[in-house]
Amino acid sequence: MPGAPATSAKPGRNCPLCPRLKAYRENWRRSEPAWFNAPVPSFGPTDARVLIVGLAPGLQGANRTGRPFTGDYAGVLLYDTLARYGFARGSYGAHPDDGLELVDARITNAVRCLPPLNKPIGSEIAMCRQFLAATIAEMEQLRAIIALGRIAHDSMVAALGQRPKAAPFGHGAVHAIGSLRLFDSYHCSRYNTNTGVLTAQMFQAVFASVRAHLDNAQETRRAAGEISSP
């Protein structure tokens, strides 16, 4: 897989690579010792065909709960949409022991640690990209990637060894990169949905396209005799 480094896909709990994020994390550990307050691991099976890539953990969301998009508003829309298109089962309860499971999908972030004001800087995005690339590399069945927002998109394009101009970001855009398809969406943040930048229908349309892509690929393989009919 292009861009795959010789590293683990999961940074350690006390990852020291980004001094600003390390100091911020330690401050929150002192303030809220019961919170997760560590690099947030990916959620979902490694044999999934779909990878959803967000920006970074939210303060009251993944940084508190330890699961991507769990505990803040963005998770409500994301997990509802995943369930709608068959990528999740169970009920989203906004906490990591709610029993929710992902089906043929996995979620990660371009930056694994909570950034001040939800804004990682360029060096932090670049440093954390090694974990993003390693996550891609360990997903041998990966076929589709959904980038939530421009930063996630740009970091993913770089992790796949592509130049930015070859795959510009745009909501609803689809880019073919080798055997993968990269689908773009505006981030499902409360700000974007409250201002109308992103509607539920716009967000769902991206996942509908991913589902259609996977289903079409499955039918093509079945017609070619690569897999048997159910």
Side-chain angles (χ1 to χ4, degrees), residues 43 61 64-72 79 91-100:
F43 172 44
R64 177 175 61 86
T65 65
R67 191 177 75 181
F69 290 89
T70 300
D72 55 16
Y79 286 114
S91 299
Y92 170 66
H95 50 85
D97 57 353
D98 55 13
L100 183 74

Side-chain angles (χ1 to χ4, degrees), residues 15 18-30 116:
C15 181
C18 301
R20 189 181 76 120
L21 301 189
K22 177 178 179 289
Y24 196 54
R25 180 176 69 224
E26 290 173 348
N27 284 338
W28 277 105
R29 284 181 179 176
R30 289 189 289 269

Side-chain angles (χ1 to χ4, degrees), residues 1 24 37 49 58-59 62-63 73 77 90 93 97 100 109-110 114 120 124 129 137 140-141 147 163 191 216 221:
M1 187 71 65
Y24 196 54
N37 288 321
R49 291 182 296 166
L59 175 61
N63 180 68
Y73 177 79
L77 178 56
D97 57 353
L100 183 74
N109 278 311
L114 171 72
E124 294 160 353
R129 190 171 298 132
E140 297 182 357
Q141 303 302 317
R163 292 183 298 178
Y191 175 81
N216 290 339
R221 293 185 63 197

Side-chain angles (χ1 to χ4, degrees), residues 113-155:
C113 289
L114 171 72
L117 302 176
N118 292 322
K119 294 181 179 179
I121 59 178
S123 60
E124 294 160 353
I125 298 167
M127 182 63 74
C128 212
R129 190 171 298 132
Q130 62 187 293
F131 302 111
L132 181 59
T135 297
I136 299 167
E138 69 179 2
M139 297 181 66
E140 297 182 357
Q141 303 302 317
L142 185 62
R143 295 295 179 269
I145 300 168
I146 305 171
L148 304 182
R150 183 181 297 275
I151 290 177
H153 165 91
D154 289 348
S155 195

Side-chain angles (χ1 to χ4, degrees), residues 1-5 7-10 42 45-53 106-110 112 128-147 152-162 177 179-182:
M1 187 71 65
T7 187
S8 167
K10 182 180 178 182
S42 303
T46 57
D47 62 353
R49 291 182 296 166
V50 179
L51 179 65
I52 299 107
V53 183
R106 197 178 190 203
I107 305 174
T108 196
N109 278 311
R112 300 295 182 90
C128 212
R129 190 171 298 132
Q130 62 187 293
F131 302 111
L132 181 59
T135 297
I136 299 167
E138 69 179 2
M139 297 181 66
E140 297 182 357
Q141 303 302 317
L142 185 62
R143 295 295 179 269
I145 300 168
I146 305 171
H153 165 91
D154 289 348
S155 195
M156 178 55 69
V157 169
L160 292 172
Q162 300 295 303
I177 302 178
S179 62
L180 301 176
R181 292 294 182 275
L182 174 60

